[in-house]
């Protein structure tokens, strides 16, 4: 099965244009299937039966894997078998019989304005690192973008005069405004700190790490964990927590879902709807403004 899995991942990359994270996720899921089948003496995709696939799903459930994990593994199998059928490697799509478990939508973790302000005000020094950290945190909360989108921003994506950023993924792009706090932090960073930090002075990358290279996901995760601890925030804060807080603030205070959907880059408005379905009385008590840093 290893050869077929490699061919499938190559197809995702070259034809579908999937991200590296998506490809790694598919490969991780399918490698687990491969090991499971190998233990049964099955090494060829064509030798796998409907019973074998059903037993694999039962194995995941019996070992208490989360419903979301089981569902993702089934989705990976379905995509893989669809490709195998398309390539003529199997006579039928055995994955059609697999049913994903129902997953209850988890209520997003959000922060209070006081916690957000404490977090954003932690980088107070004049070192290049703290000036950069301040700009990154402020921009993340001001726009609600994903951490991958933040670290891949180019300087050409930022329009300081209009107060907007251009955010791109593989299939579309969107324009997102940012407020005064983010504008001030970015202006300070762009005044000389960015150029001083970059190893390659001709690079268009917006945020560099302390080695002069583009900031990584892991580097920014460590950064936000450090400042959350420094701020005395006990909750497990991640970059996505700020994204959720951004959306919850806007929706609770009257922003229409379509606008929030566009800013977040959600393809389906039902994903955005969860912010409107949260406990409004609790949010109203915690959030006084749509965006206290605007």
């Amino acid at each position: 099965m290893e050869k077929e899995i490699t061919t499938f991942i190559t197809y995702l990359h070259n034809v579908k244009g999937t991200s590296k994270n998506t490809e790694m996720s598919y490969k991780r899921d399918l490698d687990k299937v491969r090991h499971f089948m190998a233990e049964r003496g099955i090494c060829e995709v064509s030798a796998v039966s409907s019973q074998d696939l059903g037993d694999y799903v039962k194995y995941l459930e019996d070992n208490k894997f989360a419903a979301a994990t089981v569902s993702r593994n089934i989705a990976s199998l379905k995509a893989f078998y669809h490709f195998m059928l398309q390539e003529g490697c199997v006579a039928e799509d055995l994955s059609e019989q697999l049913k994903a478990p129902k997953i209850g939508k988890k209520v997003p973790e959000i922060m209070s304005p006081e916690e957000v302000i404490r977090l954003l005000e932690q980088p107070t020094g004049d070192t290049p690192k703290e000036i950069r950290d301040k700009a990154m945190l402020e921009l993340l909360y001001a726009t609600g973008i994903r951490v991958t989108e933040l670290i891949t921003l180019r300087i050409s994506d930022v329009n300081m005069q209009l107060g907007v950023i251009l955010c791109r993924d593989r299939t579309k792009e969107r324009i997102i405004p940012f407020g005064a706090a983010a504008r001030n932090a970015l202006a300070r960073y762009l005044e000389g700190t960015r150029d001083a930090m970059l190893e390659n002075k001709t690079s268009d990358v917006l945020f560099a790490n302390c080695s002069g290279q583009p900031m990584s996901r892991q580097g920014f995760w460590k950064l936000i964990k450090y400042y959350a601890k420094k701020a005395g925030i006990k909750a497990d804060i991640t970059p996505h927590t700020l994204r959720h807080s951004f959306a919850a603030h806007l929706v609770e205070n009257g922003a229409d879902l379509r606008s929030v959907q566009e800013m977040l880059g959600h393809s389906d408005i039902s994903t955005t709807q969860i912010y409107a379905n949260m406990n409004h009385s609790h949010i109203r008590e915690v959030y006084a403004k749509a965006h206290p840093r605007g």
Side-chain angles (χ1 to χ4, degrees):
M1 288 181 71
E2 187 171 7
K3 180 182 176 182
E4 288 85 353
I5 292 172
T6 300
T7 302
F8 173 60
I9 300 302
T10 302
Y11 161 76
L12 291 177
H13 182 82
N14 293 339
V15 179
K16 292 295 187 179
T18 51
S19 69
K20 187 166 185 62
N21 285 339
T22 299
E23 291 159 17
M24 289 173 62
S25 178
Y26 273 117
K27 188 174 189 312
R28 190 164 48 243
D29 291 343
L30 294 172
D31 278 343
K32 283 195 295 187
V33 179
R34 179 169 62 84
H35 289 306
F36 178 86
M37 297 303 168
E39 289 180 356
R40 294 187 163 204
I42 301 170
C43 298
E44 301 295 330
V45 175
S46 57
V48 177
S49 68
S50 295
Q51 183 65 48
D52 292 322
L53 289 185
D55 288 348
Y56 176 69
V57 174
K58 188 174 185 303
Y59 157 78
L60 294 176
E61 293 171 340
D62 289 347
N63 282 272
K64 308 300 181 186
F65 281 90
T69 302
V70 176
S71 183
R72 192 197 67 231
N73 273 263
I74 290 174
S76 295
L77 274 168
K78 285 180 178 293
F80 176 66
Y81 265 88
H82 179 76
F83 175 71
M84 288 290 99
L85 184 65
Q86 181 180 296
E87 293 294 298
C89 297
V90 294
E92 60 178 319
D93 185 353
L94 301 180
S95 70
E96 287 184 348
Q97 52 135 359
L98 301 177
K99 303 296 181 186
K102 289 185 178 180
I103 305 173
K105 286 196 174 181
K106 186 179 177 182
V107 176
E109 292 290 334
I110 54 179
M111 301 167 67
S112 70
E114 293 78 18
E115 286 177 322
V116 171
I117 290 170
R118 289 211 315 271
L119 175 69
L120 300 185
E121 291 186 345
Q122 289 311 305
T124 56
D126 294 327
T127 65
K129 180 183 182 304
E130 287 183 287
I131 292 172
R132 179 208 63 193
D133 294 351
K134 175 76 169 174
M136 293 189 80
L137 288 172
E138 289 283 5
L139 188 61
L140 183 67
Y141 179 58
T143 59
I145 57 177
R146 303 173 181 90
V147 62
T148 301
E149 294 169 335
L150 177 72
I151 64 173
T152 54
L153 279 174
R154 303 287 167 177
I155 193 167
S156 54
D157 296 329
V158 182
N159 188 318
M160 292 294 287
Q161 185 176 358
L162 295 179
V164 299
I165 59 170
L166 176 63
C167 195
R168 298 184 182 89
D169 61 28
R170 287 179 179 267
T171 59
K172 58 190 175 184
E173 59 184 37
R174 64 193 193 277
I175 295 175
I176 313 169
F178 56 84
R183 187 198 297 259
N184 293 338
L186 267 175
R188 190 180 183 205
Y189 171 67
L190 293 173
E191 279 173 1
T193 299
R194 173 185 171 275
D195 289 343
M197 295 188 76
L198 273 174
E199 183 178 54
N200 179 4
K201 304 304 181 185
T202 63
S203 173
D204 192 31
V205 67
L206 181 59
F207 294 114
N209 62 23
C210 293
S211 299
Q213 302 300 314
M215 174 67 76
S216 67
R217 284 175 57 89
Q218 294 84 352
F220 186 74
W221 271 68
K222 289 179 182 177
L223 179 158
I224 203 168
K225 295 288 186 185
Y226 168 76
Y227 287 118
K229 183 177 180 181
K230 190 177 177 184
I233 299 172
K234 299 193 185 322
D236 186 20
I237 303 302
T238 70
H240 228 66
T241 310
L242 283 179
R243 178 172 163 85
H244 288 319
S245 301
F246 161 85
H249 287 176
L250 295 179
V251 172
E252 174 58 19
N253 289 274
D256 66 278
L257 284 179
R258 288 292 178 190
S259 295
V260 177
Q261 176 192 7
E262 185 175 343
M263 285 186 279
L264 292 175
H266 287 162
S267 57
D268 190 338
I269 199 167
S270 65
T271 309
T272 317
Q273 183 71 39
I274 193 169
Y275 299 107
N277 294 340
M278 295 172 70
N279 186 327
H280 283 250
S281 60
H282 168 69
I283 300 175
R284 195 174 297 112
E285 177 185 338
V286 176
Y287 301 105
K289 298 179 180 179
H291 207 295
R293 303 289 288 180

